[in-house]
Each structure stands twice: as structure tokens, then as C-alpha cells.
Amino acid sequence: MKVAKALMEAFAEMIFVHGFLHGDPHPGNILVCKEGSRGFSLVLLDHGLYRELDERFRLDYCQLWKALILLDSQKIQHLGEQFGVGKYSKYFPVIFTGRTIDSKSTLGTQMSIEEKKHLKQELRSLRMDDISSFMESLPPDFLSILRTDGLLRSIVSKLGAPRSLRLLTYAKYAVYGLATGPDVKPGSTIEHVFSRVYTRLSYLQLRALVEMAALISQMKDLKFSLVRKLKRMLHEVMNFLYSTIFFFQS
């Protein structure tokens, strides 16, 4: 869990704050070096696929993740225009957070059966030309991020980290990234303090949403686990009763 958190934070800061991307973080390119009894450090190998993100793109991508957490459909569609994908922007929430743009599902949870059914019907109506048009319209920076995000998701999942870890980390650094844009000028000490407070409050708002989503997910998992245990106990009791009845009958 600690390794997964450190890995996500390293790449989130790289992307959202510095606009610099290691484009090939597969497991063979990441070393975990033990330091002391509990400490460790991450070492990234193979620096041949680094990409420096365009500054305008970096800020738009920060805005996109803030909109994805809040499920701000208008903002997502507006950013879709900025990225050049137009109507296909409605699929951003599906790609990054696993829910549709009109979803009623809690962040970080599975889509409802009705939402999955509607999405399948919608995807069936897409032609190969639509998919090609979507992929060709995406900026090169976006394609690089999609590859990196897919690899990171796979790694943190294998490390046993909850889905909320990725969402919370991206939300945190998206807000920090917006606070480091070219339009953010040093100003006076008071302005600086207000800027830091605003950034912190924005992050806390997104964090509250992600943490609530994680809590609801855990409660659902607990409920499922309890139901499964009760079914197993009932099955064992029934077997015992059948065995007892059979014993007395014989």
C-alpha cells in the first residue's frame, strides 16, 4: 500500500504540477529499494519515453480531473472542445473514473445495471470511424497520459491498493497543479495566504467526495462479506440438521 501510494504521488506530481511525464512505467522500469527497517525509495528506469507536456494542456488536464471528481458535465464538455474531441468528451468519465457523464453512481463504485445496459447500447451504435475519429482527435500529450495511467492502474491494483487511492491522489495534485499556473502571480503576502487557503479548500472538497466514495464502497464490500458468511453458516446449520435427522432415522 505504501509503495502504491508513493508511486501514484510521484507520477501525479510529475504530470499535474511539473508537466513532465515518464511514458513507460511498466513493472520492469520501477525498482523499490529498501532503506532502513521500514523506509524505501522508488527508482525509475528507462528514460527514453519522457514527454514534456504543453503548459496549456497541463492546466486543462488539471481542470478535467477536477471536473471528473465533481462530475461537472458542462465543464467536461467544454474541456472536450479544448482537447478537440467534441461530443466524445462524454466518455472521459467512463475512461478515467468508470462512470458515465450522467451517472447517479457514487464515485469509485461500479455502475448500476441500468447504466451499464444504457452504455452498452450506446457503444454498440458507435462505428469504427467514430472510434478512429476520437483517437485521432486527441492531442499527443493525452495519448501518452492514457498509456501511463493504464500501466499505473494495473500496478497499484496488483499491489492491493483501493481504487480510491488513484482518484484521491489525482484530485490532490490536480488542485495543486492549478495553483502553479502562469496566471498565478506571487502578489502580496495576504494574497499568497488566500491563494494557499483556496487551494487547500478546493482539495478538501474533492477529498471529501473521494473519501465518501471509498467509505460507501467499503460498506458495500462489508455487507457482501457478511451476507456471504451468513449464507455459509446457514448452509452448515442445514447440513448439521439433515445429518442429525438422518442419524435418528437410521
Side-chain angles (χ1 to χ4, degrees):
M1 178 65 177
K2 287 183 179 180
V3 172
K5 186 174 186 295
L7 182 65
M8 286 305 309
E9 291 207 336
F11 274 85
E13 182 175 346
M14 201 186 301
I15 294 167
F16 292 102
V17 179
H18 303 296
F20 205 56
L21 175 66
H22 184 302
D24 196 23
H26 64 75
N29 283 341
I30 301 168
L31 297 181
V32 181
C33 300
K34 188 175 181 180
E35 294 182 354
S37 58
R38 296 185 179 180
F40 66 89
S41 61
L42 291 177
V43 180
L44 301 180
L45 306 177
D46 190 358
H47 305 286
L49 284 179
Y50 267 106
R51 187 177 190 91
E52 188 170 354
L53 303 177
D54 176 77
E55 180 63 6
R56 183 69 259 165
F57 173 85
R58 181 187 73 80
L59 292 171
D60 285 343
Y61 190 64
C62 288
Q63 291 282 8
L64 176 62
W65 263 96
K66 185 175 180 180
L68 288 170
I69 299 296
L70 297 173
L71 203 55
D72 183 342
S73 58
Q74 288 188 341
K75 187 67 174 178
I76 291 170
Q77 289 169 359
H78 170 71
L79 289 166
E81 297 293 336
Q82 296 286 97
F83 291 129
V85 298
K87 63 181 182 179
Y88 302 112
S89 61
K90 65 180 179 179
Y91 297 116
F92 281 156
V94 177
I95 293 169
F96 287 112
T97 65
R99 57 179 182 166
T100 63
I101 200 164
D102 331 322
S103 181
K104 304 302 179 189
S105 301
T106 307
L107 180 66
T109 61
Q110 298 293 330
M111 283 185 277
S112 67
I113 295 174
E114 189 61 34
E115 285 171 345
K116 286 181 180 178
K117 182 180 176 182
H118 180 72
L119 180 61
K120 284 181 180 178
Q121 290 174 345
E122 198 171 314
L123 292 176
R124 284 196 194 103
S125 68
L126 292 177
R127 299 168 301 174
M128 186 57 69
D129 289 345
D130 293 318
I131 299 172
S132 298
S133 177
F134 172 66
M135 296 304 292
E136 289 169 5
S137 300
L138 287 172
D141 287 344
F142 213 121
L143 294 172
S144 299
I145 280 180
L146 282 175
R147 170 183 166 76
T148 297
D149 184 54
L151 289 169
L152 290 173
R153 271 201 259 193
S154 175
I155 293 172
V156 297
S157 174
K158 288 176 181 176
L159 290 172
R163 295 177 64 189
S164 60
L165 172 65
R166 170 176 162 274
L167 298 175
L168 182 56
T169 306
Y170 281 178
K172 173 182 177 181
Y173 283 94
V175 173
Y176 288 171
L178 289 172
T180 60
D183 297 331
V184 181
K185 296 182 171 55
S188 66
T189 303
I190 295 176
E191 289 174 339
H192 180 66
V193 169
F194 274 112
S195 175
R196 287 180 63 86
V197 169
Y198 176 77
T199 299
R200 186 63 181 170
L201 288 175
S202 295
Y203 167 60
L204 289 175
Q205 178 192 19
L206 299 187
R207 175 166 185 159
L209 287 172
V210 177
E211 295 285 15
M212 182 62 70
L215 179 60
I216 291 172
S217 179
Q218 289 173 3
M219 289 175 67
K220 286 184 176 179
D221 290 342
L222 179 60
K223 179 182 175 182
F224 177 76
S225 177
L226 288 172
V227 169
R228 190 168 54 183
K229 285 181 180 179
L230 286 172
K231 285 183 178 179
R232 188 166 61 245
M233 289 174 61
L234 181 60
H235 180 70
E236 290 173 355
V237 169
M238 293 301 293
N239 283 340
F240 173 75
L241 290 174
Y242 287 142
S243 300
T244 303
I245 293 170
F246 177 77
F247 173 78
F248 283 109
Q249 284 180 342
S250 59

